[in-house]
Amino acid sequence: MTSPADHSPKPGSNFLRQIVERDLASGTYAQRRFAGTPGDAAHHAAGQPDPAKIRTRFPPEPNGYLHIGHAKSITLNFGLAAEYGGVCHMRFDDTNPEKEEQEYVDSILDAVQWLGYSWQANGAEHLYYASNYFDFMFRAAEALIEAGLAYVDEQSADEMRANRGDFGHAGKDSPHRSRTPAENLARFHAMRAGKLPDGAAVLRAKLDMASPNINLRDPALYRIKHAEHHNTGNAWCIYPMYAYAHPIEDALEGITHSVCTLEFEDQRPWYDWLLDTLCTLGLLAQPRPHQCEFARLNVTYVITSKRKLRQLVDEKIVDGWDDPRMPTIVGLRRRGYTPEAIRLMCERAGTSKAGGWTDYASLDIALREDLEGKAARAMAVLDPIKLKLTNWAELFGSADFREPCHAPYHPQQPELGLREFGLGSEVWIERDDFAEVPAKGFFRLFPGNKVRLKYGMVVECSGCEKDENGNVTAVLASVVPDTKSGTPGADAVKVKGTITWVGVHDALPVELRLYDRLFTEAQPDAGGKDFKASLNPNSKKLARGYLEPSLANARPDDKFQFERHGYFVADRVDHAPGQPVMNRIAGLKDSWGK
Ligand code: ATP
Ligand code: MG
């Protein structure tokens, strides 16, 4: 009998790794030369055999903040390069003049580095901007025109759309399709010289208006846009289309495996045609790049459309791009998710051609795995009520007496030493650790029951104090003598419950931000659903609580396991020593929906 697991690839293997391994074994790219910088065929021919076994790239458009889906692409591209002795280029696909901003460039570079990757290799920086290739793209377009493979089309946008046809109908040739190369070149130069207004003409490849693949029905290569570009200023008033620019960018950089998401599968014949043609024309180096498509990462309870994320920010549904509930890298980082956890989650999500959904819980699982061995332990009270130890002064001679208590920073790492805090006559405990009338199976504080204050002493509950409305305002208990943890005979008194606490005298008041999933539905925007209809009203709860004194020096981004409560991080924006602000990253176990 075979288990279902026998049919899945062995851990670590996936179809992209198999493609790379096959290419390495058969030497597909072994003859490649690389001149050290991007360039055309002549440039690379003058270079050395490429020391990088493969080249991949991460090519974001700098028009927004990166999100968890981009993290998948980053881990995949940089990860493949690292595994196979290759190099991954960081490339800004900044061919669109209008939407791009330096703010996004900076935040993208920061996110990639924070995730643990670098575009430095073999002593060189592989940080590239597609807009630096505009001159080559223009020259390549001229070459296509001269070869009779491109033409300037001056149909209106509506005519062009109508004449493209659809799945059932072949397209119709444009009336401008039969212009001579000389006429086309003159018109293209007129476009370039700014003689035509926006939208008056486009340069199109001359392929096949009847192709069953609509991407091959004379795709547009250049459009007119009188707009300033963040890198090239006003040097250009025509800009290359993405489908034309992207394959060329890959080829100029000597990319071997151009990894992209499945939507581009139908573009592959075009990708191949364009690069083969430009290689044949002697413009691009061979062997040329190949495109490989994989299914994009979808995560439950998350939306990743840039437009919808922007809506959350603009409509102030969240507190900015780095709101700890956002699936942006800046949001995940502020929430306390670690690069290790994100990388682990992306690896486990797998890489395949079959789309699917990855459960958000897998990110929390990865986070716990990462922090379990790393995060210092601490006690914190999230929903405090005072516990008064009524026999304290009598037992220890003074209400101000403090018993020093100790606990390891990490239970499995004694070398990290001990934290110290004091037990006094009053301590903060969790409100729900007391019940006047205990439910069945409740082993914590109720009149007549004994519990251990963790790392402290055993106390026996005697009742509570209430206000005029009957609300409990304090819990009362007496200390059971000679039960201090770690002292001889401390365990003689058996208890069923142990509770966490913080001494009133040395507690640090803290602002707690208790985050949860932003949506209550697993696929908030699937099938065109209104994602705002399933916003989780409890995705952010603010509370005031108390921390043990060992956290006095916590710095922004420091992460802790609060005993019994889960993982927390000192907020990287608002936390300051003396004014602690802690975000809940994740509980100790998955409690969503339970
Ligand atoms: P846009 O709609 O603005 O193009 P985009 O999400 O494709 O959005 P890009 O900046 O073009 O944004 O993406 C950079 C890279 O990240 C691309 O190679 C893209 O395929 C990849 N990517 C984006 N979203 C995902 C996802 N959910 N899973 C895997 N890869 C993704
Ligand atoms: Mg894109």
Side-chain angles (χ1 to χ4, degrees), residues 213 216 264-274:
N213 182 337
L216 297 180
F264 293 95
E265 199 165 25
D266 290 346
Q267 291 276 8
R268 184 154 23 115
W270 159 251
Y271 186 100
D272 292 342
W273 181 90
L274 179 64

Side-chain angles (χ1 to χ4, degrees), residues 7 56 108 127 139 141-142 144 161 209 273 329 348 381 419 421 449 485 487 528 557:
H7 300 289
T56 55
I108 290 169
L127 169 59
R139 186 150 64 87
E142 290 178 320
L144 291 172
R161 203 172 304 117
M209 287 306 292
W273 181 90
I329 305 292
R348 286 185 180 155
V381 176
R419 25 195 253 261
F421 38 88
N449 196 40
S485 293
T487 61
D557 280 333

Side-chain angles (χ1 to χ4, degrees), residues 133-215:
Y133 310 146
F134 282 165
D135 284 331
F136 177 87
M137 290 173 187
F138 182 75
R139 186 150 64 87
E142 290 178 320
L144 291 172
I145 294 170
E146 284 162 3
L149 296 170
Y151 63 99
V152 173
D153 193 357
E154 293 174 64
Q155 295 182 97
S156 70
D158 285 341
E159 286 166 335
M160 239 177 276
R161 203 172 304 117
N163 290 336
R164 187 169 293 127
D166 54 34
F167 286 108
H169 303 89
K172 273 207 236 70
D173 285 1
S174 161
H176 309 119
R177 202 173 192 266
S178 49
R179 283 174 165 167
T180 64
E183 280 175 287
N184 281 314
L185 207 51
R187 284 316 274 164
F188 188 49
H189 287 162
M191 284 170 66
R192 161 86 181 92
K195 300 207 168 106
L196 302 176
D198 287 6
V202 294
L203 182 71
R204 297 176 78 173
K206 194 167 173 178
L207 270 91
D208 178 5
M209 287 306 292
S211 172
N213 182 337
I214 294 180
N215 295 298

Side-chain angles (χ1 to χ4, degrees), residues 58-61 63 67 69-70 72-73 259 261 294 296-297 306:
F58 174 61
E61 205 179 323
N63 64 354
H67 55 62
H70 295 114
K72 174 71 199 175
S73 177
V259 177
T261 46
F294 72 102
R296 63 195 301 116
L297 176 72
K306 277 182 200 162

